[in-house]
Amino acid sequence: MAIITSFGGPTSLESLTDHLENNKMAPIERIQFADGEFGEWTVSENCAVGDVVFFLCDGAPIEALGNAFDELGSIDDPAIMTFIKREFILHKCYAGTIMAVGKVASDPFKVDPDREFEGAPGRWHANISSFRQLKNPISVNDLGDIFTLNQTGCVTELDDKQSVKLLATVMFGNLR
């Protein structure tokens, strides 16, 4: 089996500030700076060790990051402004693209309720290995009818035929 896991980023001034103050990288930055072993990420509870994970940058944060700019009217903090601008540029560049691929390296586990964040209750995570960025991220629009993205969650499960077709399309001469 393979899955596509969609990720966004900080979508409010509060979450941006939290990332900045706690020296956390936003999801898109984790993908840009990772290589090989990746740590944990959201997966399907049906995943097994060895399943392929495709990482899709969601376009939704672009609007949210723009709204965070509007919230900054009374804040005079250059670090926050720089962080928001960087996030906005990265998401504008990669929105709607499969940016990376990896493999499930552990059995899925339910996220501890203390670690859940608003809007993401009950998520399943697994450790990811063999992580690689794509030299040329692929637009979902260019993948035709290989699959239909899950519109109610961040994980789309692919059947064997979809998995093989997407893997061949994405992997052909495209790993860094």
Side-chain angles (χ1 to χ4, degrees):
M1 178 169 87
I3 65 164
I4 299 169
T5 182
S6 303
F7 65 90
T11 56
S12 69
L13 182 56
E14 182 180 343
S15 62
L16 285 161
T17 303
D18 178 59
H19 273 78
L20 188 62
E21 289 174 353
N22 293 301
N23 200 23
K24 296 179 192 172
M25 284 191 272
I28 197 165
E29 293 172 309
R30 282 189 61 204
I31 286 177
Q32 278 202 308
F33 297 114
D35 191 28
E37 298 305 311
F38 188 64
E40 67 183 62
W41 199 271
T42 305
V43 298
S44 164
E45 66 182 298
N46 300 317
C47 282
V49 173
D51 285 348
V52 175
V53 180
F54 296 98
F55 294 84
L56 171 66
C57 180
D58 185 345
I62 293 173
E63 183 178 331
L65 288 166
N67 292 338
F69 273 120
D70 297 338
E71 293 180 46
L72 286 174
S74 61
I75 296 175
D76 187 24
D77 187 334
I80 292 175
M81 280 301 286
T82 300
F83 187 74
I84 291 174
K85 286 179 184 177
R86 183 175 65 235
E87 290 299 304
F88 186 79
I89 289 167
L90 288 171
H91 280 279
K92 194 161 175 96
C93 181
Y94 293 109
T97 65
I98 293 177
M99 299 179 58
V101 64
K103 287 190 175 183
V104 175
S106 70
D107 290 331
F109 53 90
K110 193 115 178 190
V111 176
D112 182 331
D114 292 337
R115 292 182 50 219
E116 288 182 357
F117 54 92
E118 187 178 328
R123 286 206 177 175
W124 290 82
H125 280 198
N127 290 320
I128 305 297
S129 65
S130 304
F131 178 86
R132 296 290 180 266
Q133 292 179 43
L134 301 182
K135 287 182 205 174
N136 303 301
I138 298 175
S139 171
V140 174
N141 295 332
D142 294 339
L143 294 173
D145 59 355
I146 295 175
F147 58 86
T148 301
L149 283 173
N150 180 349
Q151 299 299 311
T152 60
C154 68
V155 175
T156 301
E157 294 182 0
L158 304 176
D159 63 29
D160 289 342
K161 184 177 177 182
Q162 293 169 317
S163 298
V164 168
K165 198 168 183 179
L166 182 58
L167 190 60
T169 302
V170 169
M171 302 301 278
F172 185 73
N174 199 15
L175 292 181
R176 285 187 177 178

